[in-house]
């Protein structure tokens, strides 16, 4: 069964600092990996995704993530945190369903708080 | 392009009552998902439709939850009777056929059961 672990429940950083949000996954084959962000009262917005190829993927807002197969990780890096980045971040792994289609399994999320 | 539309945005009901949520996916998206997001947890897939057929409903509590997607477009998710532990945000998402990695999410319906 596929699963995702986000070990950091809450993180507080100062604006302008760099940050890495951790994500570890369990999946039987090469996974699809995702990072989503959710602001209060909003739906999930896709930040970036990895399917194959270059293990360093770039997303919106200058975010990036690196797929490390040996560590089963897909950590998200924010080079310089802005106050508007305060939100909840979810890592997800995707896999094919037997009957077709894809199924996303989400981690429990990391709540990011930004101090000005 | 219009996004995934959900209604209502908020709903408060008493336990044992019934409730229904509605989702209108992005036009042309064959696959529709319902997720349940309990406070402090990540979204959990309840059911996935491909057109009007069910692909995966393994985590849907079928004794109280039901969902349908007539005509392969709009979908409704119903809870009857509701329990306190059903309090959550219910997210609808849609994607092109077999491309769950391209899923777009609606803003969700926040359900509070008292």
């Amino acid at each position: 069964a596929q699963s995702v672990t986000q070990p950091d429940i809450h993180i507080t950083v100062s604006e302008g600092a760099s940050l890495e949000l951790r994500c570890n996954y369990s999946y039987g084959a090469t996974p699809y990996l995702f990072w989503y962000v959710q602001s209060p009262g909003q739906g999930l917005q896709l930040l970036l995704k990895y399917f194959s190829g270059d293990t360093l993927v770039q997303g919106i807002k200058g975010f990036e993530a690196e797929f490390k197969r040996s560590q089963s990780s897909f950590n998200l890096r924010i080079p310089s945190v802005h106050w508007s980045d305060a939100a909840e971040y979810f890592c997800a792994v995707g896999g094919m369903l037997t009957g077709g289609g894809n199924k996303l399994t989400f981690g429990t999320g990391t709540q990011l708080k930004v101090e000005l | 392009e219009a996004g995934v539309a959900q209604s209502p945005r908020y709903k408060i009901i008493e336990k044992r009552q019934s409730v229904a949520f509605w989702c209108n996916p992005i036009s042309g998206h064959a696959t529709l998902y319902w997720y349940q997001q309990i406070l402090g947890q990540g979204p959990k897939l309840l059911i996935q439709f491909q057109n009007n057929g069910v692909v995966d409903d393994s985590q849907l509590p079928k004794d109280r939850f039901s969902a349908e997607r007539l005509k392969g477009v709009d979908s409704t998710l119903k809870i009857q009777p509701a329990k306190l532990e059903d309090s959550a945000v219910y997210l609808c998402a849609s994607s092109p056929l077999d491309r769950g990695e391209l899923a777009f999410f609606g803003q969700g319906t926040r359900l509070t059961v008292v």
Side-chain angles (χ1 to χ4, degrees), chain A residues 26-56:
Chain A
S26 173
Y27 189 70
T30 300
Y32 297 155
L33 293 161
F34 308 82
W35 275 100
Y36 286 86
V37 62
Q38 187 177 39
S39 298
Q42 301 297 313
L44 292 161
Q45 181 186 13
L46 181 66
L47 287 173
L48 46 76
K49 56 185 182 286
Y50 170 80
F51 295 158
S52 63
D54 192 346
T55 56
L56 184 63

Side-chain angles (χ1 to χ4, degrees), chain A residues 32 34 36 38 41-44 46 49 51 88 90 96-97 99-104 106-109, chain B residues 9 33 35 37 40-43 45 48 50 55-56 58-59 91 98-103 105-107:
Chain A
Y32 297 155
F34 308 82
Y36 286 86
Q38 187 177 39
Q42 301 297 313
L44 292 161
L46 181 66
K49 56 185 182 286
F51 295 158
E88 189 149 25
F90 291 95
M96 293 295 293
L97 292 170
N102 305 102
K103 174 180 178 178
L104 292 178
F106 288 84
T108 51
Chain B
R9 288 295 310 278
Y33 314 79
Y35 285 85
Q37 185 178 16
Q41 300 181 20
L45 180 68
Q48 177 177 338
Q50 203 146 288
V55 174
D56 182 7
S58 57
Q59 297 193 88
L91 294 165
D98 285 347
R99 298 301 303 277
E101 68 276 12
L102 300 178
F105 285 80
Q107 291 186 300

Side-chain angles (χ1 to χ4, degrees), chain B residues 59-71:
Chain B
Q59 297 193 88
L60 186 74
K62 299 181 186 63
D63 57 334
R64 298 184 299 107
F65 285 63
S66 64
E68 60 181 12
R69 191 184 184 197
L70 300 176
K71 301 181 182 178

Side-chain angles (χ1 to χ4, degrees), chain A residues 48-103:
Chain A
L48 46 76
K49 56 185 182 286
Y50 170 80
F51 295 158
S52 63
D54 192 346
T55 56
L56 184 63
V57 292
Q58 305 293 327
I60 63 172
K61 301 171 47 169
F63 293 4
E64 64 178 27
E66 186 171 11
F67 169 54
K68 293 185 177 180
R69 184 188 303 274
S70 61
Q71 300 177 20
S72 297
S73 69
F74 188 58
N75 296 343
L76 177 70
R77 288 196 285 266
I78 307 175
S80 178
V81 175
H82 188 263
W83 65 268
S84 61
D85 295 329
E88 189 149 25
Y89 291 80
F90 291 95
C91 180
V93 61
M96 293 295 293
L97 292 170
T98 302
N102 305 102
K103 174 180 178 178

Side-chain angles (χ1 to χ4, degrees), chain A residues 10-19 78 80-87 89 111-116:
Chain A
H10 298 279
I11 291 180
T12 301
V13 297
S14 299
E15 189 174 40
S18 62
L19 175 66
I78 307 175
S80 178
V81 175
H82 188 263
W83 65 268
S84 61
D85 295 329
Y89 291 80
Q111 185 72 45
L112 174 62
K113 181 179 176 181
V114 181
E115 293 180 334
L116 300 176

